[in-house]
Amino acid sequence: MPVPPNRAYAVATGQLATLLGISISSARRRVDLQAARESVRDAAGRVVIAERLIEAARADALSQERLLDQLLVAKPSESNFLDED
């Protein structure tokens, strides 16, 4: 495995991979694709892109948590329902 060129880049892509539940190489690929779209070539710019993707992933995870909380609340008409085998 090649050594990442920048420690901050490696940490940021590792955090992104953890948040998204993907491999580190997939997280690096996402950052690289976004960097190519924005014509960013330096390592510092890629770190900024990775941090931006991390913030977006955290915001998305928070909205998903709220949605799951809403879905887990029983409706009043169904709150006393029991399912038997």
Side-chain angles (χ1 to χ4, degrees):
M1 176 191 276
V3 177
N6 188 347
R7 181 173 170 79
Y9 178 68
V11 169
T13 54
Q15 288 176 347
L16 181 63
T18 300
L19 285 172
L20 296 177
I22 58 176
S23 68
I24 293 176
S25 62
S26 295
R28 285 183 187 154
R29 201 170 314 130
R30 284 188 185 205
V31 173
D32 289 342
L33 286 172
Q34 189 64 32
R37 287 184 191 127
E38 297 177 11
S39 300
V40 175
R41 295 180 187 235
D42 61 333
R46 289 176 190 246
V47 171
V48 170
I49 290 172
E51 290 173 353
R52 201 171 60 223
L53 291 174
I54 288 170
E55 291 302 317
R58 284 185 181 152
D60 187 44
L62 184 61
S63 67
Q64 292 294 328
E65 288 174 9
R66 289 181 183 153
L67 177 64
L68 182 61
D69 287 344
Q70 290 175 354
L71 292 174
L72 290 176
V73 174
K75 295 180 182 177
S77 62
E78 299 173 352
S79 62
N80 293 328
F81 178 75
L82 292 175
D83 187 23
E84 296 182 16
D85 291 7

